[in-house]
């Protein structure tokens, strides 16, 4: 179970935080560290000293140019945020996230990512809108922002508690955690990559049929993302949705050539 959880750090600017995050992960048995566009040298001496023996996590970490590639194979993505946002999004406390982990990881293709933002600016809206849910670590409202590696530690601890309670046989625990995949699901879950292709297709089609004006977006695509991410669609469902869009594309290109009297 723990080997299918990825910690993703975006735009980290202090190598010490990368090292401390690696240490936080290793103490809790996590090993998959991904850095997206780091703003520092993540293998600097300070990272190695702060990793304090968790060098193997630093040696194995992957670097990505963009978030999409870092998340491509993930089926459940949460973004950790110290602040609330303009567009409300499904929220979980760390304990709720971990109680749901066995169910999220019950399918063979399942992989979970926990995304953390920049030390100075956190996660931006586009990044948060790529997540199924947001996790807020309940802190002092008057001083709510943890150090990056401290936030990683809290989430890694929660992952370990779920593993200690349910073990590697996540599927056996799902009867107690029926939301939303409490029974063995019939299809693999859609990956982040499947979803991003679907959202790109959806946007193209909505523009083509004049439903969406990219110059006046009015949060349409953000709301579409929230809707479909909330449904947590599987592979077959995403293929059906893509098929519907292709049928719409086809009739949208055919429709203008029809004689005016044939139209409604
Ligand atoms: N100054 C930033 C916070 C940066 S802290 C801001 O205002 O958004 C670096 C990262 O640690 C955050 O992006 C978030 O991923 C995580 N983090 C810090 N405090 C958190 C909290 N209370 N709940 C969830 N994540 C938190």
């Amino acid at each position: 179970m723990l080997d299918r959880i990825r910690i993703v750090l975006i735009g980290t600017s202090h190598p010490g935080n990368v090292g401390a995050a690696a240490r936080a992960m290793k103490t809790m048995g996590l090993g998959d560290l991904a850095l997206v566009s780091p703003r520092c040298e993540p293998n600097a001496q300070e990272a190695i000293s702060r990793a304090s023996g968790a060098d193997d996590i630093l040696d194995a970490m992957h670097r990505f140019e963009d978030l999409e590639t870092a998340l491509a194979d993930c089926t459940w993505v949460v973004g950790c945020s110290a602040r609330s946002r303009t567009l409300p999004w499904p929220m979980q406390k760390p304990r709720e996230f971990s109680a749901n982990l066995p169910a999220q990881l019950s399918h063979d293709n399942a992989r979970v990512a926990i995304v953390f933002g920049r030390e100075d600016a956190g996660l931006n809206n586009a990044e948060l809108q790529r997540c199924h849910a947001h996790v807020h670590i309940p802190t002092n409202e008057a001083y709510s922002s943890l150090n990056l590696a401290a936030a990683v530690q809290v989430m890694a601890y929660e992952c370990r508690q779920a593993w200690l309670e349910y073990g590697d046989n996540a599927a056996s625990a799902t009867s107690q955690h029926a939301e939303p995949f409490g029974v063995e699901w019939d299809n693999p879950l859609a990956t982040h990559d499947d979803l991003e292709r679907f959202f790109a297709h959806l946007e193209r089609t909505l523009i083509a049929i004049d439903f969406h004006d990219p110059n006046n977006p009015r949060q349409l695509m953000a709301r579409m993302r929230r809707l479909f991410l909330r449904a947590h669609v599987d592979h077959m469902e995403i293929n059906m949705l893509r098929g519907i869009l292709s049928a719409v594309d086809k009739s949208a290109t055919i429709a203008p050539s029809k004689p005016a009297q044939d139209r409604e």
Side-chain angles (χ1 to χ4, degrees):
M1 177 171 138
L2 295 178
D3 58 349
R4 288 191 288 144
I5 300 172
R6 181 172 304 152
I7 298 293
V8 180
L9 308 183
I10 302 185
T12 309
S13 53
H14 297 297
N17 279 336
V18 178
R23 180 179 185 175
M25 289 171 62
K26 189 165 179 178
T27 54
M28 297 297 147
L30 298 180
D32 185 354
L33 175 60
L35 299 191
V36 177
S37 310
R39 292 178 292 162
C40 63
E41 183 37 67
N43 283 310
Q45 189 50 45
E46 200 187 341
I48 296 163
S49 343
R50 292 284 300 280
S52 196
D55 317 36
D56 50 332
I57 310 274
L58 295 180
D59 292 342
M61 78 188 160
H62 292 99
R63 282 172 80 146
F64 297 92
E65 291 301 311
D66 55 61
L67 183 58
E68 287 66 42
T69 326
L71 299 178
D73 57 342
C74 295
T75 51
W76 179 254
V77 177
V78 296
C80 292
S81 177
R83 288 179 285 150
S84 64
R85 303 286 158 160
T86 40
L87 187 59
W89 215 260
M91 289 294 304
Q92 292 185 328
K93 293 200 179 84
R95 195 65 46 92
E96 291 162 340
F97 161 79
S98 60
N100 203 231
L101 257 182
Q104 291 301 349
L105 287 168
S106 63
H107 205 285
D108 289 345
N109 86 319
R111 194 170 281 279
V112 167
I114 312 174
V115 183
F116 297 85
R118 300 155 191 82
E119 292 94 334
D120 51 349
L123 294 168
N124 63 34
N125 284 336
E127 291 156 353
L128 283 164
Q129 287 166 9
R130 281 179 161 69
C131 301
H132 291 89
H134 297 166
V135 173
H136 177 71
I137 301 165
T139 40
N140 175 2
E141 293 92 22
Y143 191 73
S144 66
S145 178
L146 278 85
N147 161 266
L148 171 61
V152 171
Q153 185 74 77
V154 170
M155 294 303 288
Y157 169 81
E158 286 295 339
C159 293
R160 187 163 189 84
Q161 299 322 297
W163 179 71
L164 286 173
E165 195 165 344
Y166 305 114
D168 275 322
N169 189 6
S172 68
T174 54
S175 56
Q176 297 165 47
H177 298 288
E179 291 288 331
F181 299 109
V183 289
E184 203 178 313
W185 203 250
D186 56 346
N187 278 292
L189 298 172
T191 62
H192 185 80
D193 189 47
D194 297 328
L195 284 159
E196 288 308 311
R197 286 168 198 270
F198 164 67
F199 288 129
H201 192 171
L202 178 64
E203 184 162 24
R204 281 197 306 276
T205 303
L206 294 179
I207 292 171
I209 62 171
D210 287 335
F211 187 81
H212 173 41
D213 176 1
N215 297 318
N216 183 21
R218 291 177 304 170
Q219 294 191 317
L220 177 75
M221 290 315 296
R223 288 179 186 280
M224 286 289 169
R225 281 179 170 276
R226 191 173 65 166
L227 167 64
F228 287 105
L229 288 171
R230 207 160 74 228
H232 204 183
V233 290
D234 67 33
H235 206 259
M236 181 175 279
E237 290 162 343
I238 207 97
N239 283 342
M240 282 173 355
L241 289 166
R242 292 290 301 269
I244 292 168
L245 290 177
S246 297
V248 172
D249 294 342
K250 205 168 153 205
S251 50
T253 51
I254 292 165
S257 61
K258 280 185 185 171
Q261 64 267 30
D262 284 0
R263 297 190 206 147
E264 285 282 299

